[in-house]
Amino acid sequence: MSQTVICPGSFDPVTLGHLDIITRASRMFGKVVVAVLVNSSKTPTFSTEERIELLREAAQGLDNIEIVSFEGLLAEYCKKCGIGTIVKGLRAVSDFEYEFQMAIANKKLNPELETIFLTADSDSTFLSSSMVREIGSMGGDISNFVPACVHDRIVRRLRK
Ligand code: COA
């Protein structure tokens, strides 16, 4: 399919779960824009530049990926860029209600916008960035949770 889709998120930091969704979306669609949220009301552990660099490294084998950052409403950003489809991962039933609300709100804001959900692979259903941050900062092993190529960098940063 030649369609361009967007995979938005905080990616603070990227996990194997995120990479699974991005990789599968890249096989299904012509181009995947991975959009890192710049949220001025929240202080992420990894700066926007770091989050983008980690994603770039993690996704380096995928040639139809573009990594960007955005501020403000996702629905507006999609409108501005002419993107009509959001792809998100669903890890568990507990994700569903929140994701369902966001999908509807985004459609109200931009009626052209569709949201597609991919089921997370079974190894990622428990995984989140805050879990990686907590385990990594306490010296635990995060090698099963983050892409191997960015593992050392994430560990160094979390132990600082
Ligand atoms: N694998 C592993 N972890 C995953 C995952 C996956 N497939 N999908 C989500 N997660 C985790 C993230 O790691 C994150 O974990 P954390 O809370 O422990 O840090 C958590 O799920 C939430 O993901 P996150 O990317 O932070 O946020 P989100 O999915 O809730 O939404 C945006 C992010 C950018 C899409 C959303 O905030 C947004 O659109 N913001 C812009 C403002 C806007 O338009 N608001 C109105 C929305 S209706």
Side-chain angles (χ1 to χ4, degrees), residues 30-57:
K31 183 175 169 187
V32 179
V33 175
V34 180
V36 177
L37 174 67
V38 181
N39 186 345
S40 42
S41 66
K42 254 170 118 181
T43 311
T45 301
F46 293 81
S47 68
T48 306
E49 293 69 31
E50 285 175 311
R51 287 181 280 152
I52 288 177
E53 270 177 44
L54 291 170
L55 274 164
R56 204 162 273 151
E57 219 166 311

Side-chain angles (χ1 to χ4, degrees), residues 8-13 15-21 35-37 39 42 70-76 86 88-91 95 98-99 101-106 109 118 120 124-131 133:
S10 304
F11 304 108
D12 187 33
T15 67
L16 282 173
H18 296 132
L19 190 59
D20 169 56
I21 299 296
V36 177
L37 174 67
N39 186 345
K42 254 170 118 181
F70 78 104
E71 243 179 310
L73 291 173
L74 177 63
E76 290 299 324
I86 300 169
K88 297 210 71 182
L90 272 186
R91 289 165 298 170
D95 276 350
Y98 174 63
E99 293 293 348
Q101 262 182 344
M102 275 209 287
I104 292 174
N106 280 324
L109 293 167
L118 297 181
S124 313
T125 49
F126 66 95
L127 197 50
S128 73
S129 297
S130 52
M131 183 188 278
R133 292 197 299 272

Side-chain angles (χ1 to χ4, degrees), residues 52-121:
I52 288 177
E53 270 177 44
L54 291 170
L55 274 164
R56 204 162 273 151
E57 219 166 311
Q60 62 189 336
L62 307 170
D63 57 10
N64 57 345
I65 302 281
E66 184 185 0
I67 295 157
V68 301
S69 62
F70 78 104
E71 243 179 310
L73 291 173
L74 177 63
E76 290 299 324
Y77 182 75
C78 290
K79 201 182 282 176
K80 193 179 83 185
C81 300
I83 296 173
T85 308
I86 300 169
V87 174
K88 297 210 71 182
L90 272 186
R91 289 165 298 170
V93 179
S94 51
D95 276 350
F96 179 77
E97 202 172 325
Y98 174 63
E99 293 293 348
F100 189 66
Q101 262 182 344
M102 275 209 287
I104 292 174
N106 280 324
K107 201 157 182 58
K108 293 275 178 214
L109 293 167
N110 174 356
E112 306 294 310
L113 203 48
E114 299 293 346
T115 303
I116 291 178
F117 296 105
L118 297 181
T119 48
D121 79 320

